Amino acid sequence: MNLPEVRGKLLLNEPLGPYTWFRVGGAADALFIPADADDLVDFLKALDPAVPVTVLGVGSNVIVRDGGVEGVVIRLAGRAWGQVTAEGETITAGAGALDAMVAKASAKAGIAGLEFFAGIPGTIGGALVMNAGCYGSETKDVLVSAKGVTQGGELRDYSVEDFGYSYRHNNYDEDVIWIEATFRGTPDDPAAVQARIDEITTRREQTQPIREKTGGSTFKNPPGHSSWKLVDEAGWRGKLHAVTGGGAKFSELHSNFMINPGEATAADIEGLGEAVRADVLAKTGVQLDWEIKRIGRPG
């Protein structure tokens, strides 16, 4: 695989487990961490279009399979990708900025409406892709516009209407690497905004296994149902899979969170999720769909 020259980091056969919250998975054929937007654009323009490209954020809601990822994995990490600025009622953030940092910046600027980002364990790039949300608010509610780079290296601007957002999904039909987003809230007292963020953070710490090796919410909520209730009522809360043994389980604290309590493989974790999906379907007739993204080749 011939790869273009870059100013950022280009690592060959780089293990991806350390870049994910589950701490599992094989290696990327190549991992590219661009120095800035120009570096990313130049790389994509020069890259052979036949080479597969996968984008990885902080790995908070992803399973990298044990066989690794073909082609180039692009990770937008570092200061160039994590900038967050406020102006008037808007917040502009790089795709690599943590969602929680956007919430923090909104409090400092006295902008209400973005507090929910404090409860989402990921980056703005991921939030754009999946219309991330929690506690009754979603990305689409506050997004104004975004900047992205096409697979061919073309910089483009997008409005929120271009995304065609629905629950945990966008209908945009082109592969785009998101590099920046602008959100709009409403003026409020900074202390009041911070108090709501503190409440969300406390609630999350009390109800989610955030200090475990986890992947966040495993399944989307089916219409009219809560995934955690379906998993719980099917008897999977805190239960080890009969096949994977101690390799993976659903959290006792929150039954829609899978955790890696020790030395699970990606196959253990994904296999547990598929077993639970099948069991819930058999017992209730309700189909659970994955919220966690699964990428790469089986081991």
Side-chain angles (χ1 to χ4, degrees):
M1 180 171 58
N2 293 320
L3 297 173
E5 294 291 325
V6 302
R7 289 184 290 107
K9 294 181 180 179
L10 187 57
L11 309 171
L12 301 181
N13 298 313
E14 178 71 6
L16 293 176
Y19 297 93
T20 74
W21 283 30
F22 274 126
R23 295 294 188 265
V24 299
D29 290 348
L31 175 66
F32 175 39
I33 304 175
D36 50 34
D38 289 339
D39 196 24
L40 175 61
V41 167
D42 292 342
F43 179 83
L44 291 172
K45 283 181 177 178
L47 184 67
D48 183 345
V51 175
V53 173
T54 303
V55 181
L56 180 68
V58 291
S60 61
N61 200 223
V62 66
I63 298 171
V64 176
R65 294 185 173 113
D66 298 311
V69 181
E70 181 182 4
V72 178
V73 173
I74 295 176
R75 187 169 187 261
L76 307 184
R79 182 175 298 178
W81 300 102
Q83 297 295 314
V84 182
T85 59
E87 183 177 351
E89 299 175 7
T90 65
I91 295 281
T92 298
L98 293 174
D99 299 326
M101 295 305 296
V102 171
K104 182 177 180 180
S106 74
K108 185 176 180 180
I111 300 173
L114 283 70
E115 296 93 336
F116 72 97
F117 278 124
I120 302 174
T123 60
I124 289 301
L128 292 174
V129 171
M130 66 178 296
N131 187 26
C134 64
Y135 305 134
S137 298
E138 295 179 307
T139 299
K140 69 176 179 60
D141 300 328
V142 292
L143 180 66
V144 176
S145 61
K147 296 182 184 296
V149 184
T150 68
Q151 295 285 312
E154 181 182 354
L155 272 169
R156 292 184 184 175
D157 294 324
Y158 303 84
S159 69
V160 63
E161 291 80 13
D162 292 328
F163 285 81
Y165 275 135
S166 57
Y167 173 64
R168 299 297 177 267
H169 180 71
N170 75 74
N171 286 326
Y172 201 72
D173 60 1
E174 184 178 10
D175 288 331
V176 177
I177 299 174
W178 304 109
I179 63 172
E180 185 181 272
T182 297
F183 305 96
R184 177 175 287 116
T186 56
D188 199 355
D189 176 57
V193 178
Q194 186 61 55
R196 291 192 290 272
I197 289 173
D198 292 342
E199 182 180 350
I200 289 171
T201 301
T202 299
R203 180 178 175 184
R204 180 169 171 251
E205 289 176 347
Q206 292 174 345
T207 61
Q208 298 176 11
I210 60 174
R211 291 176 177 81
E212 303 276 3
K213 292 185 285 187
T214 184
S217 294
T218 302
F219 304 119
K220 302 174 185 178
N221 289 324
H225 297 275
S226 294
S227 290
W228 75 265
K229 288 185 179 179
L230 292 167
V231 175
D232 195 21
E233 290 169 0
W236 287 93
R237 180 188 291 268
K239 182 180 177 182
L240 294 170
H241 192 298
V243 174
T244 62
K249 67 178 183 178
F250 274 81
S251 170
E252 295 179 5
L253 188 60
H254 193 307
S255 53
N256 194 32
F257 278 59
M258 282 193 294
I259 61 174
N260 172 9
E263 300 301 323
T265 64
D268 290 338
I269 297 168
E270 188 172 7
L272 172 61
E274 289 296 339
V276 171
R277 292 181 71 229
D279 193 39
V280 168
L281 181 61
K283 290 176 177 176
T284 68
V286 178
Q287 179 71 66
L288 290 173
D289 291 327
W290 285 91
E291 184 169 323
I292 290 177
K293 185 176 182 181
R294 290 143 298 132
I295 62 174
R297 303 165 288 214

